[in-house]
Amino acid sequence: MKSSKLFNAFFKSEKSGGILLILATILSLFLANSSFQLDYISFWNTEIAGNSIVHWINDGLMTIFFLLIGLELEREIYNGELSNRKKAALPLFGALGGMLIPALLFSVINFGTKTQSGAGIPMATDIAFAVGILSLLGKNVPTSLKIFLTALAVIDDLGAIIIIAVFYTSTISYLNLGIALSVLGFLFVLNRYKIQSVIPYSIGGIIMWYFMMHSGIHPTIAGVLLAFVIPFGDGSEKSTSAKLQHFLHKPVAFLILPLFALANTCLIINSDWHSILLESNSLGIILGLIVGKPFGIFIFTFLGVFLGFCELPKDLNWKNILGAGFLGGIGFTMSIFITLLAFSDSELIVSSKIAIVIASTIAAIVGYFSLKSTLNLKK
């Protein structure tokens, strides 16, 4: 597999961003459990224009993150690994297994309880964290494995976005939704007329985000929809889509995701924190991420290859796929994001976040050492 300059730029930004995310999480947990606890937590709850800072980050800045994900997905579909059926099938099968098996595990454990709506929590993969951990292995990592994990995570996040739109929407205002979709239609017309300037798309995107927010559907969906009406052209680095993707890499990796981590991991860890790990919700999240994710990815990719729908790259083996599957169990920001949509109870949100951080940490450690061992065998 060959990687484009744009993919390399994406991978490098996610690599650095992943390391920064780790540091931001450690810092946030430290401050939330120090003498600065009250001031630190109250800062994120400070209201600006009727909403807290954390709300603006989750509903506003994260829309830009999803715009970048949409642009990357569009590139992969039209001019990347997902443009070839055989190549696209491997991460696609892996992503399906990595979503279905964790959701099934969680649902079985939480069936009939108030937490059953959290089935989407262990389904997503944090691209920045997963790629950040993979990058720590250095030059031992084949390009094909980098592309497999990145494509899998992108498809995972698309699945999470669909889940947000379908299952975590309560009351819909069809008037506001209609206006948002009309704006989208207008932007599509601009695309067809080959309007290359990013300005009308940006203005339209902000308007679409506003009405999407008031429609009852989570406004971050507007980011993904916007990505697919921004001119892609021939996919070259001179296209509007590529230029915007380049422009968004650093703000997303070095500002938006670290801010999200800081704002959403300010968790007060009580002395009895371990007691929540045996609750059905926490157990579903932990097992979903560190068992369901890796084995779902492994089993589905194995079946895909066995049935002839896809092929395993020559420079990879099944131990590599399992190791990558564990990195897929790093849910972190995406899992926390879905938690905030699935639950309204503050105690349940906190316990879910703790379970996510613990499970993601275990998945990262196991994935790292698993790949380090299997990749070293290839020297």
Side-chain angles (χ1 to χ4, degrees):
M1 290 184 181
K2 294 182 179 180
S3 56
S4 66
K5 291 181 180 179
L6 196 56
F7 172 80
N8 286 331
F10 180 83
F11 185 83
K12 287 177 182 177
S13 71
E14 295 301 317
K15 167 185 174 179
S16 304
I19 295 170
L20 186 58
L21 268 178
I22 296 171
L23 296 176
T25 302
I26 294 171
L27 176 62
S28 186
L29 288 171
F30 170 76
L31 291 174
N33 293 276
S34 68
S35 57
F36 302 103
Q37 181 184 99
L38 294 178
D39 291 334
Y40 182 65
I41 294 175
S42 64
F43 168 76
W44 294 114
N45 291 314
T46 302
E47 288 203 359
I48 299 176
N51 290 303
S52 66
I53 293 176
V54 67
H55 182 272
W56 283 115
I57 291 172
N58 294 344
D59 284 18
L61 292 182
M62 285 299 283
T63 303
I64 301 174
F65 165 72
F66 280 108
L67 169 59
L68 179 60
I69 292 299
L71 291 171
E72 172 62 13
L73 181 64
E74 181 186 40
R75 186 192 67 79
E76 290 292 342
I77 290 173
Y78 291 125
N79 201 28
E81 288 305 305
L82 303 184
S83 63
N84 180 288
R85 190 177 69 178
K86 281 274 187 180
K87 291 180 179 180
L90 190 69
L92 178 60
F93 269 76
L96 287 173
M99 289 187 287
L100 294 175
I101 302 301
L104 180 62
L105 270 175
F106 185 96
S107 298
V108 169
I109 295 172
N110 290 270
F111 182 75
T113 69
K114 66 176 183 178
T115 56
Q116 63 181 2
S117 61
I121 296 172
M123 291 175 69
T125 296
D126 187 309
I127 297 178
F129 249 117
V131 171
I133 297 298
L134 185 64
S135 68
L136 297 177
L137 293 165
K139 295 181 180 179
N140 283 333
V141 183
T143 299
S144 56
L145 186 61
K146 296 176 185 178
I147 293 175
F148 170 75
L149 182 61
T150 304
L152 181 145
V154 168
I155 297 169
D156 256 8
D157 287 347
L158 175 63
I161 291 163
I162 294 172
I163 289 165
I164 290 168
V166 176
F167 296 104
Y168 295 114
T169 297
S170 51
T171 304
I172 296 178
S173 168
Y174 290 100
L175 175 61
N176 287 311
L177 179 60
I179 294 173
L181 294 179
S182 296
V183 173
L184 178 67
F186 175 72
L187 295 179
F188 178 76
V189 172
L190 294 184
N191 180 300
R192 293 294 91 186
Y193 276 92
K194 302 186 185 303
I195 303 298
Q196 300 299 317
S197 173
V198 76
I199 294 175
Y201 297 100
S202 300
I203 295 172
I206 293 171
I207 296 172
M208 183 167 62
W209 173 84
Y210 175 83
F211 284 102
M212 192 71 78
M213 180 172 63
H214 288 85
S215 72
I217 294 176
H218 203 272
T220 51
I221 302 298
V224 181
L225 296 177
L226 178 61
F228 282 88
V229 294
I230 291 174
F232 184 78
D234 60 359
S236 70
E237 294 186 32
K238 294 182 179 180
S239 69
T240 304
S241 177
K243 288 179 181 178
L244 183 58
Q245 194 175 339
H246 272 303
F247 176 78
L248 291 177
H249 277 155
K250 286 183 171 59
V252 168
F254 300 114
L255 178 64
I256 293 174
L257 287 178
L259 276 176
F260 180 87
L262 287 168
N264 289 283
T265 58
C266 47
L267 308 173
I268 299 175
I269 310 297
N270 297 317
S271 57
D272 63 341
W273 63 269
H274 53 276
S275 63
I276 69 166
L277 300 182
L278 295 178
E279 294 176 359
S280 59
N281 178 60
S282 299
L283 203 57
I285 292 172
I286 293 171
L287 289 178
L289 288 175
I290 65 177
V291 177
K293 265 289 182 183
F295 289 100
I297 291 169
F298 180 86
I299 292 169
F300 271 59
T301 51
F302 183 83
L303 285 175
V305 172
F306 179 77
L307 295 173
F309 292 111
C310 47
E311 58 185 23
L312 187 69
K314 294 179 180 179
D315 56 349
L316 296 183
N317 58 49
W318 289 111
K319 291 180 181 179
N320 301 152
I321 297 297
L322 183 60
F326 276 105
L327 294 187
I330 306 175
F332 198 61
T333 55
M334 285 303 299
S335 292
I336 290 175
F337 189 78
I338 295 177
T339 296
L340 300 174
L341 301 176
F343 303 135
S344 57
D345 183 274
S346 58
E347 290 187 9
L348 196 53
I349 290 173
V350 170
S351 65
S352 296
K353 286 182 178 180
I354 292 173
I356 290 166
V357 171
I358 291 173
S360 295
T361 301
I362 294 172
I365 293 171
V366 174
Y368 173 82
F369 284 104
S370 173
L371 284 174
K372 185 177 181 180
S373 173
T374 60
L375 291 173
N376 282 339
L377 291 175
K378 297 170 64 177
K379 286 184 176 181

